[in-house]
Amino acid sequence: GQNIDQPTEMTATEGAIVQINCTYQTSGFNGLFWYQQHAGEAPTFLSYNVLDGLEEKGRFSSFLSRSKGYSYLLLKELQMKDSASYLCAVMDSNYQLIWGAGTKLIIKP
Amino acid sequence: NAGVTQTPKFRVLKTGQSMTLLCAQDMNHEYMYWYRQDPGMGLRLIHYSVGEGTTAKGEVPDGYNVSRLKKQNFLLGLESAAPSQTSVYFCASSKNPDSNQPQHFGDGTRLSIL
């Protein structure tokens, strides 16, 4: 079967750095997406990785290792507004997204 | 800059009632999707469409029907609502999936079945 695993909840301090991990087992791989979802709102696109390595976009970076079935989202200089759920999703061989349950990130002052 | 618009935002139904959820996008996207989101679970694909006049089943299609009569609209119907269909429903659209084009989501419809 297809499976995406991410921690249920993480806590970090304002101004710090946090790494959210995602491991996956899917039938085929056509890219990995990270989305941010604030409570009661729609998911919004953060990043996309299809090749191994690090993609940096401002305070957010995303890493992929296809051989290990592993990705992480790195958030630097955390702000209170970063409190949200972070969703990992893998595009499978049928070009459909398989979603993880999301990681709820709590930022404390 | 509307993007993806869903109506209604909230609805309470009684078991056995029917209703239609509406989704409209103004980005000229070919692909549209209906998901449900339940606590502790990832988004699950109900149905999707690869273009006007087409529909296909996703992971959890039972109890739902869809139609895509116009490119910009994708309708999700519940013929006979059941308590297990209590969920948050998201519509999304994308240019095409075989690239790095992300899916764009509507604000969701919160549906309760009593």
Side-chain angles (χ1 to χ4, degrees):
Chain A
Q2 307 199 93
N3 195 48
I4 311 284
D5 284 320
Q6 21 177 163
T8 301
E9 187 175 295
M10 300 181 70
T11 302
T13 304
E14 189 177 15
I17 299 173
V18 71
Q19 178 176 310
I20 301 174
N21 296 326
C22 171
T23 57
Y24 63 89
Q25 288 180 308
T26 57
S27 56
F29 179 84
N30 284 300
L32 186 144
F33 293 79
W34 283 97
Y35 281 76
Q36 180 189 60
Q37 185 178 25
H38 285 101
E41 297 183 8
T44 56
F45 169 72
L46 286 178
S47 69
Y48 170 80
N49 295 72
V50 68
L51 300 176
D52 288 354
L54 190 67
E55 294 283 340
E56 296 186 83
K57 193 183 291 186
R59 294 189 299 114
F60 293 6
S61 302
S62 56
F63 171 83
L64 175 67
S65 168
R66 288 173 298 173
S67 63
K68 295 182 179 179
Y70 168 71
S71 172
Y72 67 73
L73 181 68
L74 191 72
L75 290 74
K76 303 176 183 176
E77 301 170 13
L78 285 169
Q79 302 175 10
M80 297 303 294
K81 67 178 182 180
D82 297 329
S83 292
S85 289
Y86 292 86
L87 313 181
C88 174
V90 173
M91 184 164 283
D92 69 9
S93 57
N94 294 318
Y95 294 98
Q96 291 185 7
L97 285 179
I98 310 301
W99 296 82
T103 299
K104 182 178 181 180
L105 178 62
I106 299 168
I107 310 296
K108 295 185 175 180
Chain B
N1 218 17
V4 180
T5 303
Q6 291 183 233
T7 54
K9 296 190 184 304
F10 304 93
R11 186 72 184 268
V12 178
L13 291 179
K14 294 181 179 179
T15 298
Q17 287 185 317
S18 63
M19 79 162 295
T20 301
L21 280 64
L22 310 178
C23 178
Q25 53 96 3
D26 63 1
M27 296 174 283
N28 201 34
H29 285 169
E30 288 293 334
Y31 288 74
M32 296 187 75
Y33 313 84
W34 275 107
Y35 290 96
R36 60 179 289 173
Q37 187 174 41
D38 300 293
M41 302 181 71
L43 288 161
R44 291 184 292 168
L45 184 64
I46 304 171
H47 286 281
Y48 65 100
S49 169
V50 302
E52 181 179 318
T54 74
T55 62
K57 293 180 180 179
E59 178 187 357
V60 288
D62 293 343
Y64 305 95
N65 56 76
V66 288
S67 64
R68 182 103 180 266
L69 299 179
K70 293 184 178 181
K71 184 176 183 178
Q72 62 268 34
N73 297 334
F74 195 30
L75 279 60
L76 178 71
L78 285 73
E79 291 185 345
S80 179
S84 61
Q85 294 178 305
T86 293
S87 188
V88 181
Y89 291 85
F90 285 102
C91 176
S93 70
S94 66
K95 284 185 178 180
N96 60 67
D98 54 343
S99 71
N100 64 348
Q101 297 298 319
Q103 294 182 12
H104 299 263
F105 285 80
D107 288 336
T109 295
R110 283 145 187 84
L111 184 61
S112 293
I113 316 297
L114 304 179

